[in-house]
Amino acid sequence: MKLELTHCPDVSMVKGAISRLDHATDIRLRCLSGSVWITVDGVYDDVVLEAGQSWVVPGPARVIAQAMAPSTLRFEATPDCARVPAARRPQREPAFA
């Protein structure tokens, strides 16, 4: 499934499903449930997000997300991403946030 971001979509994915976002820039990927494997063109390390974790794409790049279990992934446009280091690893969100 190819995505176009005009809002912050929640994408429900069955195990093995793949979603693609071309030209991702300043996008935060937030795993709401399940487990998602993320690969980004031009980035050596892949990322696995578990429920409650998020990661900022060091774009612009093509992002491929594959569900390792039934999952829900949110693609968020984040205009303040310029202040986030590109090499930042997945972060778990505080339980109260």
Side-chain angles (χ1 to χ4, degrees), residues 20-43:
R20 182 181 93 206
L21 181 63
D22 291 329
H23 311 295
T25 302
D26 294 338
I27 301 297
R28 177 179 300 279
L29 305 178
R30 185 178 307 278
C31 184
L32 302 178
S33 66
S35 179
V36 182
W37 176 18
I38 309 292
T39 189
V40 178
D41 282 354
V43 176

Side-chain angles (χ1 to χ4, degrees), residues 6-63:
T6 56
H7 62 290
C8 295
D10 291 351
V11 178
S12 294
M13 303 164 63
V14 297
K15 181 177 180 179
I18 295 174
S19 291
R20 182 181 93 206
L21 181 63
D22 291 329
H23 311 295
T25 302
D26 294 338
I27 301 297
R28 177 179 300 279
L29 305 178
R30 185 178 307 278
C31 184
L32 302 178
S33 66
S35 179
V36 182
W37 176 18
I38 309 292
T39 189
V40 178
D41 282 354
V43 176
Y44 181 74
D45 293 323
D46 290 346
V47 173
V48 174
L49 294 178
E50 302 288 340
Q53 292 183 317
S54 67
W55 181 73
V56 176
V57 176
R62 177 185 308 163
V63 176

